[in-house]
Amino acid sequence: MQDKYVAQDIEKKWQAYWEQNHTDKTNYDPNKKKYYVLEMFPYPSGNLHMGHVRNYSIGDVVARFKRMKGFNVLHPMGWDSFGMPAENAAIQRGIAPKDWTLSNIDNMRRQQKSLGLSYDWDREVATCKEDYYKWTQWIFEQFYKKGLAFKKEAKVNWCDHCHTVLANEQVIDGKCWRCDNQVEKKDLKQWFLKITAYADRLLKDLDTLDGWPERVKLMQKNWIGRSEGAQFAFDIPSINKKIEVYTTRIDTVYGVSYVVLAPEHPYVQELIKDAPNKADLDAFIHRIRNLSEIERTSTEVEKEGLFTGKYALNPFTGQEVPIWIANYVLVDYGTGAVMGVPAGDERDYKFAKKYKLPIKWVIQNPDQTLDFDQMVGAYTDAGVLVNSGDYTGMTTEDARQALYKAIEDKGIGHKKVNYRLRDWLISRQRYWGVPIPVIYCDKCGEQLVPEDQLPVKLPEDVVFDGGAISPLATSKTFMHTTCPKCGGPATREIDTIDTFIDSSWYFLRYTDAHNDKEAFNKQIADYWMNVDQYIGGIEHAILHLLYSRFVVKVLHDLDLVSVDEPFRGLLTQGMVLKDGSKMSKSKGNVVSPEEIVTKYGADTARLFILFAAPVDRDLDWSDKGVEGSYRFLNRVWRIINTYHEFAQEAKRNQLTKEETALRRELHRVLKKVTEDLDGKFNFNTAISTIMELVNAMYQFTDQGKTVEAGLADEIVRDLLLLLAPFTPHITEELWHECGYEGSVHQQDWPDYEEKALAVDEVEIAVQVNGKVRGKMTVSVSASKEDMQEQALALPKVAEYVAGKQIIKAIIIPKKIVNIVVK
RNA sequence: GCCGGAGUGGCGGAAUGGCAGACGCACUUGACUCAAAAUCAAGCGGUGAAUAACCGUGUGGGUUCAAGUCCCACCUCCGGCACCA
């Protein structure tokens, strides 16, 4: 064995060995229990960053551990390789997006391989390749046939910097998720997927996702935003129309002081056409409509409104209430019209105060203690109805149920569930994406490209900065085609599909990556799905994770796959920071994985990144900490060397007391590390526990002692097996150097022996009145009486007890003795 | 505003209600060395001469023989949503 640990040599050697021997190849085998572990596939930007290294290191430990535990493990990797940056490279540097992307993939794959990640590379997919996007188009067509993909005119989010529309989920704080540019609203006809049809299931099934972090489920829940209420009509006799409002508080209907519409509401023009202050109203509407989304929806903005001059009739009181228009009502939620109840809604209260509208109190709190003359705000909690006709005296909940029934009986409305979630806008006015497989014929209208003609290939003769339309329109070969129905001249759809669709089914393609007859075989996909453990950044809590859940539910309904949730377990890792902030080129605090691997080796990089912080927390990169991990691997190298020599000596029948203790330490560590890895992701404490074992091994040799050969052999084996998932190269090298058979990664995970953990005696603390006053070693079988006697005999304890009365003694075997005195 | 999460040494962080600070980083001292690096050893929450004692897990209360851990109130920071009726 070499004296010195030289990572670079052994890492290259074993990576080549694993590749040649197909160590990480996985096969479909319904007789074996499976485990599917998946890290979010990367966008091929060109280089791995530390966030990737963290993500893949976590996944690789899980994959290797599960393999050693006997599972048939699927652990694939691929590329989310459509998207804007490739197109920008084309515009700025004149490189074809395809060439740029494929060379980035080559580089990043090389970097991944240098980390010793145990992927089954035979299953690699790239979403930009024809054999993949053919099936993305096919899936789009299935959505279309089910009526879940449709084109409509809508006010959409437009990013002028990326020159494309965006889905609601891709607008963060009013800005583009990719480039941070302020998003505008535009009226355009665009393709949507009907995710709202699945809103209820997407919400309800969150409860089945036990392996997801609570906060991610909550974020999705908030995003879906289900609310239960009533939709019902107020008459407007003056224009002979009914105006529908939506409310979750129909129990407050006797307190309606006014009805208020969004400025964009379709009735507004008719309501104000003969108003004396029409000019003011027009100016107000114009001003509100031109506000940005941010200004419009900010709670900071003062509530503003104008009276239209018309009145509506409260269907319950028969009372006339004024109709207003106001900036705080949104046209695209509910009906775009709201009943104003200042007593029961904080916004309405502010609005009523500002414009001196009447406030009618209709809910008293359960204790009947509200003094309505003294109120300075709305009362929004549950309570009992007052001033509410026949409903007076009912609880808010009972009144709600009674009133739901009443509006149905009157035929003016019904119970209604509303969602914040909007349909998913999937058109993109970009080139580097999946062409939408639709053809427009003047005679036959919108037609799907027949399935046997897929894929609709991306043309290469395009101009990238061609102006206001999609680059595909600049291709001479692409646009013009024939109608699949009548054969007449027709044109192709020129938008591409949001790349989030590509990434909403890739985990299914991995299960059957080479299938050229179907997107994936159902039987094979059913064997591997769900993904048992998905690992990635929290930034996808809504976007990717919600879309994937939706797509899988649709594929399930189409009977293409049996599961209806993609990811059983979800682990959201923290970010990798440097000096307290995110690594970025502009801050100049980027640590390159490649440099670290070159300098210390992949094993050190992996070990450090898993040891430095719990997986779900942010991790501050520390160069000194990396040195520490490297130092530890050197310690392992040397001590294995030493213990391996011990193992060559003749065996003894009997272990010394110290050796027994060392063996107990080994088995304690086996138990603890297994617990930290099995169903948990406590990599940091697993590693620290292994460090404790190594320290115990050194303590032995530092005192000049040797270790019995059989025990030494056991320790060497188990230590290498424990470390194998974390640091695959050094353990493989030492495994072979020590003369063990096969690959360390194809061994069974070592079990601990309960018997080895047994102790005869333990050291416990002795407290007097809860303060530690001494320590003693007692036999584990000692009686409570003996323990008390021994505790009281301790000089310090005796001192504190002297002259006092012992009230009681708490004696917890193997834990503590506490003498309570007065 | 609403909903989550988190506050522990100089730093990252450990602790099924039972000896707070495991493990690591940094630091100090010593051994080895001509010297340095590497390695090894000892120390390392605060006050303190101390192997004495007291204090100490964001703050204030409480439960308990015993609280970082459980309960109540509050403070601060981070994240998500945010005029969704």
Side-chain angles (χ1 to χ4, degrees):
Chain A
M1 198 181 300
Q2 293 224 328
D3 287 347
K4 184 110 182 74
Y5 165 51
V6 184
Q8 289 70 16
D9 300 350
I10 64 178
E11 292 190 352
K12 286 281 160 282
K13 177 173 84 183
W14 291 111
Q15 284 159 16
Y17 172 90
W18 296 327
E19 193 155 345
Q20 274 162 26
N21 290 280
H22 306 284
T23 313
D24 303 312
K25 177 117 185 77
T26 305
N27 294 306
Y28 168 73
D29 184 349
N31 296 317
K32 285 193 198 151
K33 54 184 179 172
K34 66 92 187 178
Y35 193 89
Y36 189 173
V37 54
L38 182 63
E39 299 108 65
M40 289 180 183
F41 68 164
Y43 179 81
S45 57
N47 282 289
L48 292 188
H49 54 67
M50 280 300 171
H52 291 124
V53 177
R54 191 174 192 191
N55 191 195
Y56 308 148
S57 299
I58 293 167
D60 202 46
V61 171
V62 174
R64 290 183 187 276
F65 174 69
K66 289 291 176 183
R67 266 188 220 114
M68 292 173 82
K69 283 293 242 178
F71 288 90
N72 189 23
V73 171
L74 177 56
H75 187 216
M77 182 41 70
W79 311 96
D80 187 13
S81 51
F82 271 135
M84 282 283 302
E87 224 164 312
N88 290 337
I91 294 165
Q92 285 155 18
R93 286 180 273 163
I95 312 165
K98 186 176 179 179
D99 298 341
W100 184 84
T101 302
L102 294 181
S103 79
N104 283 350
I105 288 176
D106 286 342
N107 191 49
M108 286 174 77
R109 190 194 299 107
R110 180 185 58 77
Q111 294 176 332
Q112 285 174 327
K113 287 190 173 177
S114 78
L115 287 168
L117 302 166
S118 61
Y119 298 126
D120 179 356
W121 284 105
D122 287 349
R123 295 169 184 270
E124 179 180 352
V125 303
T127 59
C128 68
K129 293 195 171 170
E130 279 172 32
D131 63 352
Y132 186 91
Y133 75 69
K134 169 180 178 172
W135 300 111
T136 305
Q137 290 174 340
W138 182 84
I139 287 170
F140 170 88
E141 298 201 342
Q142 308 317 305
F143 274 64
Y144 184 94
K145 289 173 188 167
K146 268 211 117 189
L148 293 169
F150 59 95
K151 207 172 185 184
K152 74 168 180 191
E153 175 93 20
K155 224 179 182 43
V156 298
N157 307 303
W158 174 265
C159 173
D160 208 44
H161 181 259
C162 294
H163 215 279
T164 184
V165 296
L166 298 169
N168 282 319
E169 290 79 7
Q170 292 158 8
V171 181
I172 314 290
D173 290 336
K175 293 175 185 161
C176 173
W177 69 289
R178 191 200 297 286
C179 71
D180 256 3
N181 189 47
Q182 199 67 230
V183 168
E184 308 161 27
K185 288 283 179 181
K186 260 195 178 181
D187 287 304
L188 285 174
K189 198 171 181 196
Q190 298 285 294
W191 284 96
F192 289 83
L193 295 189
K194 209 168 176 51
I195 191 169
T196 53
Y198 282 73
D200 220 20
R201 277 167 69 187
L202 288 167
L203 179 69
K204 207 166 78 245
D205 291 349
L206 285 172
D207 292 339
T208 69
L209 300 176
D210 299 332
W212 281 42
E214 223 38 56
R215 65 170 178 152
V216 174
K217 290 196 271 189
L218 236 125
M219 282 161 77
Q220 292 213 354
K221 189 178 167 204
N222 289 339
W223 188 262
I224 295 165
R226 183 182 197 271
S227 85
E228 230 170 75
Q231 187 166 316
F232 68 102
F234 282 63
D235 269 329
I236 318 173
S238 56
I239 62 167
N240 199 23
K241 281 197 160 138
K242 291 176 192 302
I243 190 153
E244 290 214 282
V245 298
Y246 174 73
T247 180
T248 54
R249 291 299 307 276
I250 195 166
D251 51 295
T252 64
V253 71
Y254 281 77
V256 174
S257 303
Y258 59 99
V259 166
V260 57
L261 310 182
E264 300 91 339
H265 193 282
Y267 289 2
V268 167
Q269 286 313 314
E270 194 172 354
L271 283 167
I272 67 170
K273 68 171 186 277
D274 49 6
N277 58 340
K278 182 160 192 314
D280 292 346
L281 283 158
D282 281 337
F284 175 69
I285 293 165
H286 185 76
R287 183 161 59 83
I288 300 299
R289 291 190 80 147
N290 282 328
L291 286 178
S292 75
E293 192 74 355
I294 300 263
E295 296 166 304
R296 181 68 194 280
T297 57
S298 163
T299 47
E300 309 301 314
V301 169
E302 179 83 5
K303 294 182 186 9
E304 275 188 273
L306 280 174
F307 176 41
T308 60
K310 297 286 195 294
Y311 292 85
L313 291 178
N314 183 331
F316 285 90
T317 63
Q319 192 192 4
E320 274 197 334
V321 291
I323 302 173
W324 285 63
I325 52 175
N327 61 346
Y328 75 94
V329 180
L330 306 173
V331 72
D332 55 357
Y333 184 78
T335 60
V338 186
M339 61 180 210
V341 184
D345 185 281
E346 215 48 69
R347 292 157 301 181
D348 295 348
Y349 184 88
K350 285 200 182 106
F351 194 74
K353 276 287 173 194
K354 180 168 179 181
Y355 293 107
K356 304 203 165 44
L357 290 157
I359 299 174
K360 184 180 169 192
W361 297 96
V362 287
I363 308 289
Q364 173 60 270
N365 73 11
D367 301 336
Q368 308 272 318
T369 54
L370 291 184
D371 177 355
F372 295 128
D373 295 337
Q374 303 293 315
M375 296 291 280
V376 291
Y379 176 75
T380 57
D381 293 337
V384 178
L385 272 69
V386 293
N387 301 324
S388 297
D390 295 345
Y391 302 91
T392 299
M394 286 190 184
T395 64
T396 41
E397 187 49 43
D398 290 346
R400 249 174 244 175
Q401 299 308 325
L403 283 156
Y404 289 151
K405 190 166 180 306
I407 52 172
E408 291 209 14
D409 292 348
K410 284 174 188 266
I412 56 168
H414 51 89
K415 234 178 125 165
K416 178 87 198 287
V417 172
N418 267 333
Y419 299 94
R420 256 180 37 104
L421 184 71
R422 301 297 141 85
D423 280 329
W424 177 11
L425 169 48
I426 58 156
S427 305
R428 294 294 178 271
Q429 289 69 44
R430 303 302 326 175
Y431 165 76
W432 192 233
V434 180
I436 296 173
V438 168
I439 288 169
Y440 301 104
C441 169
D442 282 343
K443 226 163 71 192
C444 311
E446 194 176 278
Q447 297 292 325
L448 282 182
V449 173
E451 285 183 17
D452 60 11
Q453 289 173 30
L454 295 179
V456 175
K457 293 185 190 176
L458 266 182
E460 293 184 7
D461 57 337
V462 292
V463 180
F464 290 108
D465 45 0
I469 45 160
S470 301
L472 286 183
T474 65
S475 163
K476 291 182 180 68
T477 55
F478 182 81
M479 273 265 303
H480 297 285
T481 183
T482 52
C483 173
K485 196 169 174 191
C486 70
T491 56
R492 287 189 192 278
E493 169 64 59
I494 53 170
D495 286 351
T496 50
I497 304 178
D498 184 3
T499 56
F500 277 95
I501 296 195
D502 308 342
S503 55
S504 291
W505 74 281
Y506 77 109
F507 40 87
L508 288 161
R509 183 67 182 173
Y510 279 143
T511 66
D512 192 16
H514 300 293
N515 195 330
D516 58 2
K517 303 282 185 297
E518 40 189 356
F520 48 87
N521 175 276
K522 181 166 190 259
Q523 189 185 341
I524 294 174
D526 280 350
Y527 169 68
W528 289 112
M529 291 296 284
N530 312 88
V531 173
D532 293 279
Q533 191 58 52
Y534 200 31
I535 304 156
I538 185 72
E539 66 273 17
H540 293 102
I542 295 171
L543 288 161
H544 165 58
L545 292 169
L546 187 65
Y547 293 147
S548 297
R549 294 183 59 221
F550 165 53
V551 168
V552 166
K553 284 185 187 302
V554 175
L555 297 178
H556 164 87
D557 290 352
L558 289 163
D559 199 30
L560 294 166
V561 69
S562 294
V563 296
D564 71 347
E565 282 287 342
F567 315 120
R568 198 41 63 200
L570 174 68
L571 179 64
T572 50
Q573 64 181 72
M575 285 191 299
V576 182
L577 311 175
K578 180 78 198 292
D579 309 321
S581 56
K582 199 170 175 174
M583 290 185 188
S584 73
K585 277 186 200 148
S586 56
K587 288 201 197 93
N589 62 349
V590 176
V591 180
S592 133
E594 200 150 7
E595 271 175 46
I596 297 296
V597 170
T598 306
K599 192 166 172 195
Y600 300 100
D603 284 342
T604 296
R606 294 168 56 127
L607 189 72
F608 169 72
I609 216 161
L610 293 167
F611 175 62
V615 278
D616 55 350
R617 237 183 276 184
D618 287 349
L619 176 159
D620 206 15
W621 185 267
S622 148
D623 293 334
K624 291 291 188 182
V626 179
E627 298 265 3
S629 293
Y630 185 63
R631 205 146 47 216
F632 171 70
L633 290 182
N634 276 286
R635 270 168 75 76
V636 169
W637 183 272
R638 292 194 308 266
I639 201 72
I640 288 280
N641 206 335
T642 307
Y643 273 56
H644 176 59
E645 281 169 24
F646 294 159
Q648 309 313 307
E649 303 297 319
K651 292 190 183 184
R652 264 188 279 119
N653 288 330
Q654 203 72 77
L655 294 184
T656 64
K657 199 173 167 190
E658 287 80 12
E659 284 167 342
T660 307
L662 179 62
R663 181 151 194 273
R664 187 184 315 124
E665 174 66 2
L666 169 67
H667 285 265
R668 180 191 71 84
V669 169
L670 287 173
K671 183 174 186 210
K672 167 74 171 145
V673 173
T674 306
E675 284 168 356
D676 276 345
L677 296 185
D678 213 358
K680 296 184 205 155
F681 305 97
N682 298 339
F683 304 126
N684 56 330
T685 52
I687 293 167
S688 71
T689 305
I690 297 172
M691 287 172 169
E692 285 170 349
L693 174 61
V694 171
N695 289 347
M697 292 164 74
Y698 267 98
Q699 224 169 55
F700 231 85
T701 55
D702 286 347
Q703 291 166 8
K705 294 180 190 140
T706 61
V707 175
E708 191 275 328
L711 176 59
D713 181 65
E714 183 185 8
I715 293 177
V716 168
R717 272 186 77 98
D718 288 352
L719 175 59
L720 291 176
L721 293 171
L722 284 174
L723 271 173
F726 300 96
T727 53
H729 309 88
I730 187 175
T731 48
E732 186 80 299
E733 172 75 12
L734 291 170
W735 183 261
H736 284 262
E737 284 298 318
C738 291
Y740 298 120
E741 290 293 306
S743 164
V744 71
H745 302 296
Q746 288 171 338
Q747 308 303 314
D748 289 342
W749 183 254
D751 287 325
Y752 69 93
E753 255 177 47
E754 197 67 58
K755 218 169 59 200
L757 293 174
V759 284
D760 304 335
E761 48 187 28
V762 283
E763 192 192 47
I764 64 170
V766 179
Q767 299 178 328
V768 178
N769 285 350
K771 287 192 188 293
V772 178
R773 298 299 179 187
K775 288 179 186 181
M776 62 180 192
T777 302
V778 293
S779 154
V780 290
S781 56
S783 70
K784 287 194 176 184
E785 289 75 19
D786 291 347
M787 282 171 76
Q788 181 167 347
E789 195 180 321
Q790 197 178 334
L792 287 169
L794 292 170
K796 265 268 139 52
V797 174
E799 186 186 315
Y800 278 91
V801 169
K804 297 194 173 128
Q805 187 194 347
I806 297 177
I807 295 170
K808 59 174 154 177
I810 310 284
I811 296 158
I812 314 288
K814 291 193 244 180
K815 288 249 168 89
I816 206 155
V817 171
N818 188 8
I819 312 285
V820 185
V821 297
K822 198 167 73 178

